[in-house]
């Protein structure tokens, strides 16, 4: 996969994020909808295969870095080199082999995705995101080239479904006080990518679906949703990663809670970390509408770097 030009600002990114969610118009409407449905179905089948790649699967190559975040120095020693899955169409080729690692070591916890297989498939991989009770169950990349991932699947294949991604400002190793993940709200193809987030506009759905799992290369994390916000692009920067003071962080959280569609009763302290999921929502504000789902991190389980 080749790099594409970096967007000049978040406004451009916001417009790009709308691409898959826009109401289709013109003579090619049916064709575009069918293509979107096909891309979504293909991606769904592919990501299930990737997630459950057996640890025993090996290949003879390492993934090709796609951006500044994809260097060996940024990844834990226990995941490099990694066991790769068989090369997929459009995927980077691989060069070395070692034992792979599954994300969840305890039954019933985490996403249970094979992180090593994901990293072997794409060197921009940083985490697997899952929201139980929804169709959100996808790999996440960290990139300085969001334009590329708006129109390409994790495997490198061109796709209207795109890939869930974070900007480089979201530091997963440290981690940042706020990790922001962007994803498409597809207007066709079923509840793929971040389309399921629309359900959280209903407080009745929230009850029983408060938990988010995020298995990163550095730790296994569980989050609890504390705010669901409808906003317009440019209203405020929900993706802000770091804050100069605890007071600034709490002001950020307070704004989210004040603008939340309903009170979840979930508290956020000055020492906490949050996860922010962002997608477009034309039902609120037309092309500038956004839906933001924010969650507070519960006690994370750090990954050991002395992997045997």
């Amino acid at each position: 996969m080749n790099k594409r030009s970096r967007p000049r600002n978040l406004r451009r990114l916001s417009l790009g994020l709308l691409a898959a969610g826009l109401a289709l118009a013109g003579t090619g409407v049916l064709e575009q909808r069918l293509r979107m449905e096909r891309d979504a179905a293909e991606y769904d089948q592919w990501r299930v295969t990737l997630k459950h790649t057996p640890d025993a699967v090996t290949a003879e190559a390492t993934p090709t870095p796609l951006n500044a975040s994809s260097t060996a120095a940024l990844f834990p020693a226990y995941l490099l080199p990694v066991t790769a899955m068989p090369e997929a169409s459009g995927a980077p080729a691989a060069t070395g082999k070692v034992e792979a690692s599954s994300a969840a070591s305890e039954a019933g916890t985490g996403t249970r995705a094979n992180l090593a297989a994901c990293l072997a498939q794409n060197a921009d991989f940083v985490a697997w995101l899952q929201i139980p009770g929804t169709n959100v169950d996808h790999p996440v990349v960290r990139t300085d080239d969001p334009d590329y991932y708006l129109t390409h699947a994790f495997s490198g294949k061109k796709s209207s479904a795109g890939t869930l991604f974070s900007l480089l400002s979201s530091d997963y190793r440290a981690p940042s006080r706020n990790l922001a993940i962007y994803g498409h709200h597809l207007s066709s193809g079923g509840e793929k990518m971040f389309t399921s987030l629309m359900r959280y506009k209903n407080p009745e759905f929230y009850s029983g679906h408060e938990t988010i799992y995020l298995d990163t290369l550095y730790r296994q994390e569980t989050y609890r949703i504390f705010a669901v916000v409808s906003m317009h692009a440019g209203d405020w920067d929900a993706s802000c990663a770091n804050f100069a003071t605890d007071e600034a962080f709490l002001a950020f959280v307070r704004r989210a809670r004040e603008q939340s569609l309903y009170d979840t009763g979930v508290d956020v302290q000055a020492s906490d970390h949050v996860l922010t999921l962002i997608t477009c929502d034309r039902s609120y504000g037309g092309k500038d509408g956004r839906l933001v789902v924010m969650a507070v991190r519960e006690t994370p389980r750090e990954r050991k770097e002395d992997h045997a």
Side-chain angles (χ1 to χ4, degrees):
M1 288 182 275
N2 297 321
K3 290 181 64 177
R4 303 295 187 272
S5 59
R6 186 175 181 174
R8 290 172 295 186
N9 51 49
L10 286 177
R11 174 64 177 173
R12 179 178 169 187
L13 169 59
S14 296
L15 291 174
L17 192 63
L18 282 169
L22 289 173
L24 302 173
T27 58
V29 172
L30 179 58
E31 181 181 351
Q32 293 179 63
R33 285 191 178 279
L34 290 175
R35 182 170 63 251
M36 187 178 293
E37 291 174 2
R38 180 200 64 205
D39 289 348
E42 288 182 356
Y43 183 83
D44 202 40
Q45 181 179 25
W46 172 87
R47 61 95 182 166
V48 171
T49 301
L50 174 64
K51 179 178 181 179
H52 300 292
T53 300
D55 287 351
V57 174
T58 58
E60 294 296 326
T62 58
T64 302
L66 302 184
N67 60 44
S69 69
S70 305
T71 59
L74 291 178
F75 295 110
Y78 77 87
L79 278 177
L80 293 173
V82 296
T83 299
M85 66 181 292
E87 184 176 352
S89 175
T95 73
K97 55 182 178 181
V98 294
E99 180 182 356
S101 170
S102 292
S105 58
E106 298 178 8
T109 64
T111 70
R112 306 195 68 82
N114 189 323
L115 302 191
C118 295
L119 184 59
Q121 172 86 169
N122 185 331
D124 289 338
F125 171 78
V126 71
W128 192 285
L129 176 73
Q130 181 182 32
I131 306 180
T134 77
N135 286 339
V136 177
D137 191 13
H138 302 288
V140 180
V141 297
R142 179 171 176 259
T143 180
D144 63 353
D145 191 8
D147 282 353
Y148 182 85
Y149 285 111
L150 287 169
T151 58
H152 288 77
F154 184 85
S155 64
K157 181 176 181 180
K158 192 169 181 62
S159 171
S160 58
T163 301
L164 302 188
F165 65 86
S166 289
L167 302 176
L168 293 187
S169 57
S170 288
D171 183 352
Y172 282 72
R173 176 190 279 272
S176 298
R177 294 294 294 278
N178 177 30
L179 296 176
I181 300 176
Y182 292 86
H184 280 312
H185 170 195
L186 301 181
S187 61
S188 185
E191 289 195 12
K192 302 299 190 292
M193 309 314 290
F194 269 175
T195 305
S196 292
L197 295 185
M198 296 299 116
R199 291 180 174 270
Y200 284 100
K201 296 176 73 170
N202 182 351
E204 293 182 0
F205 180 79
Y206 170 83
S207 180
H209 301 89
E210 308 95 331
T211 301
I212 298 177
Y213 292 133
L214 185 72
D215 283 352
T216 80
L217 295 176
Y218 310 102
R219 57 193 62 84
Q220 187 178 64
E221 302 175 324
T222 301
Y223 290 81
R224 185 168 298 276
I225 297 172
F226 71 87
V228 179
V229 180
S230 288
M231 58 174 280
H232 295 93
D235 281 353
W236 66 299
D237 184 10
S239 68
C240 182
N242 296 292
F243 304 85
T245 64
D246 287 345
E247 289 73 20
F249 172 70
L250 288 176
F252 174 81
V253 170
R254 184 166 56 252
R255 178 166 186 169
R257 297 192 61 166
E258 289 174 350
Q259 296 186 1
S260 181
L261 299 179
Y262 46 86
D263 183 6
T264 64
V266 177
D267 194 23
V268 181
Q269 302 293 326
S271 59
D272 284 328
H273 288 71
V274 300
L275 173 69
T276 299
L277 310 181
I278 305 172
T279 193
C280 59
D281 180 11
R282 286 183 61 83
S283 67
Y284 180 87
K287 66 179 182 179
D288 290 327
R290 301 290 182 271
L291 183 70
V292 179
V293 175
M294 304 182 71
V296 60
R297 189 178 72 174
E298 299 180 335
T299 304
R301 190 168 74 246
E302 302 292 329
R303 298 189 185 282
K304 296 180 180 179
E305 297 198 10
D306 57 345
H307 177 68

